[in-house]
Amino acid sequence: MIKNKISSRFKIIIFTFFVFSGVCIIFLYPYRYRIKNKIASFLNSSKINNTSYAPCESCDQLFTDGIPVHELAYKKEGIKSQKNSLELRNLESKGVLKKITTNDYYIVRDMDYSDPLLLPKAADLLTNISKLYMSEIDKAELKYIPFEITSATRTIESVKRLEKDNDNAIKNSAHLKGKTFDIGYINFANYPQQRALFISVLKSFREENKCFVKYEIGQKCFHVTAN
Ligand SMILES: [Zn+2]
């Protein structure tokens, strides 16, 4: 008798648990990317101490190219905004876009809101930045710390998704045009010398008008458009 009571109570508890989990999943599903981002940024912030977190004090003065400047650069040669990843891959198969992958110079992160595809001009810019950065590291006899590409080409579909999850996302994103990518700086958090060299390299490309750069402290990245 007692045994039966315990087993039926146990069944009720299990049933309630599953119903509760189901309701939670249904309710939280639309916010899955936002939750994922919050967890990732929480984990990162606990790993990195705050003093080394800012990439450089002067970055907000060095890299100030706003939306209109990036727009001028991508209006010249940028691709037409594509509806979804399938359309982007179609451009890749036609040789219009090039896939960027992790190599000795940089890491291409998994991208929730974009595809690791760029116009050859932007992909070449990335290679040239990497080569100069590596040669500066060699000259200074420092350990090479790869930088990270955290975002590349977006689609109308992924921008809509991003807008839902990120209040700062702008509708007519430069990332739709194939010439823009984001370089994350979290990797440099514990390597101030490498970070300083990387920033000087990026600054030199900016000064030669090879690209436009916006320091995005909220997104923890440099937003770069090839010129
Ligand atoms: Zn960006």
Side-chain angles (χ1 to χ4, degrees):
M1 189 70 173
I2 293 171
K3 216 178 176 183
N4 269 350
K5 250 189 182 174
I6 291 172
S7 87
S8 66
R9 263 192 199 165
F10 183 69
K11 276 179 194 163
I12 292 168
I13 290 169
I14 294 285
F15 178 75
T16 313
F17 173 76
F18 278 109
V19 169
F20 179 72
S21 307
V23 170
C24 283
I25 289 169
I26 291 165
F27 179 71
L28 295 174
Y29 189 74
Y31 305 101
R32 64 197 182 281
Y33 290 107
R34 190 177 289 195
I35 293 166
K36 191 180 159 193
N37 287 344
K38 291 268 183 238
I39 293 170
S41 66
F42 172 77
L43 291 176
N44 279 330
S45 63
S46 57
K47 257 193 264 166
I48 296 160
N49 72 47
N50 278 336
T51 47
S52 60
Y53 194 59
C56 78
E57 285 89 39
S58 53
C59 277
D60 53 349
Q61 285 127 49
L62 288 176
F63 305 119
T64 55
D65 297 322
I67 295 169
V69 181
H70 289 263
E71 204 173 59
L72 274 182
Y74 68 68
K75 267 194 175 158
K76 271 192 284 176
E77 306 144 309
I79 56 167
K80 257 174 63 182
S81 304
Q82 301 294 299
K83 271 189 212 136
N84 50 43
S85 293
L86 206 70
E87 290 194 354
L88 280 185
R89 283 199 289 275
N90 191 27
L91 287 184
E92 183 197 1
S93 68
K94 286 179 183 164
V96 176
L97 294 175
K98 261 168 90 170
K99 186 165 187 166
I100 50 164
T101 50
T102 295
N103 55 44
D104 290 343
Y105 297 106
Y106 55 81
I107 296 162
V108 178
R109 288 281 170 223
D110 288 343
M111 299 173 180
D112 284 336
Y113 300 102
S114 62
D115 287 74
L117 297 167
L118 289 171
L119 279 167
K121 190 171 193 171
D124 291 347
L125 170 71
L126 203 45
T127 306
N128 295 337
I129 291 173
S130 318
K131 285 186 175 165
L132 184 58
Y133 168 55
M134 192 176 258
S135 82
E136 293 298 314
I137 289 284
D138 283 347
K139 265 191 244 165
E141 297 183 349
L142 289 169
K143 178 187 169 190
Y144 187 82
I145 300 299
F147 55 93
E148 301 176 304
I149 310 302
T150 53
S151 182
T153 303
R154 292 181 187 144
T155 63
I156 294 168
E157 181 274 322
S158 65
V159 168
K160 272 188 194 155
R161 205 151 38 81
L162 180 61
E163 277 177 341
K164 259 191 225 162
D165 291 351
N166 179 345
D167 306 332
N168 295 322
I170 48 158
K171 201 161 199 163
N172 197 8
S173 170
H175 284 275
L176 286 162
K177 307 298 179 183
K179 290 181 81 181
T180 300
F181 50 87
D182 290 340
I183 298 177
Y185 52 71
I186 288 176
N187 237 20
F188 292 123
N190 297 316
Y191 300 94
Q193 287 174 289
Q194 285 86 341
R195 184 175 63 201
L197 278 183
F198 183 78
I199 286 163
S200 72
V201 166
L202 194 58
K203 184 172 163 262
S204 72
F205 276 83
R206 166 70 194 85
E207 282 167 353
E208 287 168 27
N209 261 338
K210 288 176 179 158
C211 60
F212 300 110
V213 186
K214 177 82 169 85
Y215 172 53
E216 301 275 10
I217 195 154
Q219 266 73 52
K220 300 169 185 63
C221 69
F222 299 106
H223 173 79
V224 183
T225 298
N227 188 25

